[in-house]
Amino acid sequence: MADLYIKNGLNEYLEPIELLITNGKIERVSSKIRNVVADKTIDLERQSIVSAGWIDDHVHCYEKLTLYYDDPDEDGYKTGVTTVIDAGSTGANNIKDFYTRTRDKLTNVYAMINISETGILAQDELGDMRRLNLQKLQAAVDEYPDFIVGIKARISKSVVVSNGINPLVEAKYFQMKLNKHLPLMVHVGTNPPELSEIMTIMDKGDIMTHCFNGKTNGILDENDNIKDFVQDGYEHGIIFDVGHGTDSFNFHTAEIAKQYKLYPETLSTDIYHHNREDGPVYDMSTCIEKLLLLGYKISEIIPMITSRPAKNFGLSRKGLLKSGYDADVTIFDIKHGRKELTDSNGNTRITDTLVKPKYSIVGGNVYSIGGI
C-alpha cells in the first residue's frame, strides 16, 4: 500500500501526471496510475501543476544573526520551497550551531560555508584576510559532509573593504585544496573589485549570484549591451544565478540579458526576514512571477528551481520526479489576477499571472499552504 497518491495533476508542460509516494520516496510516476491503494489521495482535478520540490539555492536563514537572518521554514515549506541552501551566513566558527538549529525544521536545510570563519557577523567579513583559514574550513567540511554543499565568497566593496580581489583568489585556492570538491558561489556587487576581475578568476561550474543586478559594476555597459567579458564567461560555463535580494535584481538588466539569450541557470531569492516581510522579494512565487512577466515559460523556470540547483550542489536524490528520489514535491496553481511587482531598484511592473503554491510535500509529509 502506498502512503500517498497524487492524481489528476499536470506537469510544467500541462501534461497529465500522477505520483505514488511510499516511505518518503517517490515510488512511481506516470501519466495515469491504475489500481491504486493508498492511505491518502490528493485529487488535483487537472487544475494544479506538480513539480519536484522547489529548491532555493540562495537564502539567509541562520536565526542567530542580527544582520541577515530568518527561520528556514518561513522561507521554505510554508511558501512551496521544500529545500533551502543558506548562502554563507555561517563560517567555520558558527556553522556547528547553525547545523544544530536546523535539525528540527520541516524544510530541508543545507549550507554553503562562508570562506570567512566568522560568516556574516558583520558586513565586512572579508575585510581581514586573517579570517580566511583553510584548516578550519576543512575541519568543518569533514564534520558536516552532508550539510555543507558549497562554499561562498561575497566579493563586493563593502565586504572585502581594501582587499580587492584577494579573497576570491584565496577562495579558489581553498576550493582546489579541499579534499572534497565543492561548488563556489560568488556574490557580485559594488566595485572594487571590478566584475571583469572577478569573472576572470571564476571557472566553469562556479556560480555567479546577483547576475541581474542594476549596478554599474554589473553585466551591462553604458549602452545597455552585455559586456564582452560577461558573454565570454557565460559561454565558458560560469553559472548565472538570479539571487534577487533587496538590492540585486533589475527588470531592465534581466530583460536585456534575455534578449541576448543570456539566461539564468538557477533562480534564487536571497531571502531573509526583511525582504520577505517588506519586499521586494517576498517569496519564491513572486520571483517566478517576475520571470514569467519577462517572457520565460513555466517549463523553462521549473528546472531553475529543481533539477539544476540539485545538480549544482550534489543533491543526488532531489530535483526530479523520478522513482527512487526523495518525495519532495511542490503543487501549485497558475491563476489570472492583477499584481504589482517591484524590482530591487524600485521599478514596478504589473502582471496578470499569479503563482499560488497549494502543497509542499517534504519527504512524503504533506503540508497545505494558505489554509487549504
Side-chain angles (χ1 to χ4, degrees), residues 143-157:
E143 188 170 2
Y144 302 105
D146 298 325
F147 179 59
I148 299 173
V149 295
I151 55 180
K152 175 72 179 298
R154 299 201 307 146
I155 308 298
S156 59
K157 182 180 179 181

Side-chain angles (χ1 to χ4, degrees), residues 216-276:
T216 56
N217 196 37
I219 65 174
L220 301 184
D221 65 19
E222 61 275 9
N223 296 313
D224 274 351
N225 298 313
I226 298 292
K227 296 171 182 175
D228 290 341
F229 69 82
V230 172
Q231 189 69 48
D232 290 344
Y234 180 78
E235 293 175 0
H236 180 64
I238 292 175
I239 294 169
F240 282 47
D241 173 67
V242 171
H244 188 305
T246 303
D247 198 35
S248 298
F249 178 80
N250 179 273
F251 282 130
H252 180 68
T253 302
E255 205 165 38
I256 296 296
K258 189 173 189 299
Q259 292 173 10
Y260 274 79
K261 298 183 178 180
L262 195 157
Y263 307 128
E265 180 162 334
T266 51
L267 168 63
S268 66
T269 62
D270 186 23
I271 201 167
Y272 72 111
H273 77 100
H274 176 69
N275 63 31
R276 172 176 59 82

